[in-house]
Amino acid sequence: MVATAAQPAARGAPSRRRRAINLRIPGPTTLPPAVRRALAGQMINHRGPEYAALQQETVEGVKRVFQTKNDVLFFPGSGTGGLEAAIVNCFSPGDPVLAITVGSFGERWCAIARAFGLAVDQLQIEWGKAAEPDLVRRRLRQGPPVKGVLITHNETSTGVTNPVGEIAPLVREHEALLLVDAVSSMGAIPFETDRWGVDVAITGSQKAWMIPPGMAMLSVSDRAWQAAEQAKLPRSYWDFRAMRRYMERGQTPYTPAITQMYGLRAALKLIFEEGLENVFRRHHAIGEQTRRGLRRLGLQLAADPRYFSDTVTAVVSPPGADMSLVRKRLREEYGVVIASGQDHWRDTHFRIGHLGYVRPAEIAQALRALGEVLGSH
Ligand code: PLP
């Protein structure tokens, strides 16, 4: 099953063959047909009973995926908005936090924390490596006391999944809040919000959820609620308290992302029909398939093999290859869309996304195309 997206022919131009697009970027991800149908739904009154039922059903499903009994909040916005929401609701100016960064998205969150005047101690780990629990333990013991720890579960720029389950108890020992960016992992890689004791987990609709960009989803623990009551950072749109107050009565303070929620309802149905554990297994198998295939092409993977991500693989660009040309040929000749590297890895690495609505056939086609383009480059 290769996902297809119609390529609109220019008006008046001879009609072109519809090309199947194999979208192998780490989000936005391909939409399943059932989700696309659901997205065409007519608008409803967001202050009426039909919306309240939609919200209740989707919140319950999202809690199952987060593996939490904590409150779950939906904000219209992208994942980055969710990261900012976590900061402004949990802290006051000058609060000390430890930001553990292993790539571009960790650095983005660190920058947000700094922009809001937090005293950020950054544990900056080399790209491609993970946050080793021993390193975090040492930093928490030796560094200044902190009120919170920010960490990226799955670093999309490097294809590394941090061992958050092992790091969480270390954070607990220091009675700090644990805030986790799970934007590119939730729903694809096991994430046990309650068992690990994650205070705020953040995800974004356009990743493993198989719905369009535009909605951030967050879980908020009791400890995070206490912090939200005391936090002094200014907040308005992102205020957790107002969102909870309204969501408890089946509404949101401002217009919700109704279309995303239609898609979410359909996507959750697919996830639970497949079974959450099976979804995780499929992502792992497809991650392995991708890594195996890339190695067979003689390519070097960028991440520490102990922490390979099952949603995205970062690859070292082969010496002498003009990867922007390779990406262009893949797109134009094979309909395969892959991602460049990010920041200082922009030209030296490329990335293949394998999350959400993806089956082995799409990975096989992408790898075949990559092999052919590199072979004739
Ligand atoms: N964090 C991670 C790990 C991501 O992968 C992304 C997006 O790719 C973000 C944060 C930012 O999300 P958005 O682009 O939806 O703002």
Side-chain angles (χ1 to χ4, degrees):
M1 171 200 63
V2 173
T4 57
Q7 297 291 291
R11 199 174 283 230
S15 70
R16 281 196 231 126
R17 207 163 48 83
R18 284 153 77 102
R19 181 195 285 292
I21 297 292
N22 188 355
L23 189 62
R24 299 271 56 85
I25 60 171
T29 62
T30 302
L31 306 176
V35 169
R36 293 178 71 185
R37 282 192 298 274
L39 296 175
Q42 185 55 278
M43 284 302 105
I44 51 173
N45 175 13
H46 62 302
R47 309 257 176 239
E50 219 183 319
Y51 173 79
L54 171 66
Q55 181 179 282
Q56 189 183 346
E57 187 181 341
T58 46
V59 163
E60 277 168 14
V62 168
K63 283 187 183 183
R64 279 174 69 188
V65 176
F66 271 62
Q67 303 185 50
T68 189
K69 294 199 168 21
N70 289 339
D71 290 307
V72 161
L73 307 177
F74 295 169
F75 283 93
S78 79
T80 307
L83 301 182
E84 178 167 324
I87 300 290
V88 295
N89 281 281
C90 291
F91 301 111
S92 300
D95 273 351
V97 295
L98 174 65
I100 303 169
T101 67
V102 304
S104 166
F105 290 101
E107 276 156 32
R108 179 183 298 185
W109 208 5
C110 187
I112 294 171
R114 287 204 170 106
F116 280 95
L118 301 192
V120 181
D121 177 26
Q122 183 178 3
L123 173 54
Q124 189 173 29
I125 292 158
E126 193 188 330
W127 283 40
K129 302 258 187 306
E132 301 275 359
D134 278 344
L135 194 64
V136 176
R137 180 185 290 108
R138 268 204 306 281
R139 185 63 158 245
L140 282 168
R141 283 194 183 146
Q142 291 164 4
V146 291
K147 197 160 170 191
V149 173
L150 317 179
I151 186 166
T152 317
H153 183 218
N154 187 74
E155 181 48 74
T156 319
S157 61
T158 62
V160 163
T161 303
N162 279 318
V164 170
E166 291 171 57
I167 290 168
L170 312 175
V171 176
R172 271 288 150 275
E173 275 173 34
H174 292 263
E175 296 186 1
L177 290 172
L178 177 59
L179 278 55
V180 184
D181 170 350
V183 169
S184 63
S185 55
M186 193 68 84
I189 299 172
F191 192 100
E192 300 181 69
T193 305
D194 288 358
R195 202 171 72 78
W196 295 349
V198 174
D199 292 300
V200 181
I202 303 115
T203 187
S205 53
Q206 78 276 25
K207 304 285 186 181
W209 301 92
M210 308 179 285
I211 60 177
M215 193 164 74
M217 296 169 270
L218 302 95
S219 67
V220 184
S221 73
D222 289 345
R223 284 155 39 89
W225 279 118
Q226 283 163 23
E229 290 302 333
Q230 286 152 18
K232 300 263 184 317
L233 276 171
R235 68 208 114 137
S236 173
Y237 181 82
W238 300 116
D239 195 330
F240 283 177
R241 296 161 302 179
M243 185 55 85
R244 173 164 74 171
R245 217 169 38 246
Y246 275 78
M247 284 185 80
E248 278 172 354
R249 51 179 210 251
Q251 295 186 14
T252 51
Y254 24 78
T255 315
I258 294 172
T259 300
Q260 265 88 359
M261 289 165 76
Y262 286 156
L264 180 59
R265 180 165 56 189
L268 287 166
K269 191 159 177 282
L270 295 178
I271 289 171
F272 297 131
E273 275 168 8
E274 184 176 354
L276 191 54
E277 287 302 321
N278 293 332
V279 171
F280 295 152
R281 272 189 217 112
R282 172 168 55 82
H283 279 89
H284 181 62
I286 279 181
E288 291 277 279
Q289 179 194 357
T290 309
R291 298 185 280 271
R292 227 179 12 252
L294 289 164
R295 282 178 167 142
R296 258 192 220 127
L297 294 176
L299 293 164
Q300 189 193 334
L301 310 187
D304 178 337
R306 292 172 302 154
Y307 299 102
F308 276 143
S309 161
D310 283 333
T311 61
V312 55
T313 298
V315 189
V316 179
S317 303
D322 174 351
M323 280 312 293
S324 64
L325 186 60
V326 170
R327 280 189 286 113
K328 181 167 183 283
R329 284 193 55 200
L330 280 172
R331 191 175 67 242
E332 291 178 355
E333 296 170 29
Y334 296 85
V336 172
V337 181
I338 63 170
S340 66
Q342 283 185 297
D343 303 349
H344 64 285
W345 276 17
R346 189 175 164 74
D347 298 322
T348 56
H349 292 72
F350 65 94
R351 293 172 303 147
I352 296 188
H354 34 88
L355 72 167
Y357 185 55
V358 54
R359 298 288 187 281
E362 281 123 355
I363 299 299
Q365 192 244 348
L367 291 169
R368 232 180 0 258
L370 181 62
E372 286 178 20
V373 171
L374 287 176
S376 65
H377 192 62

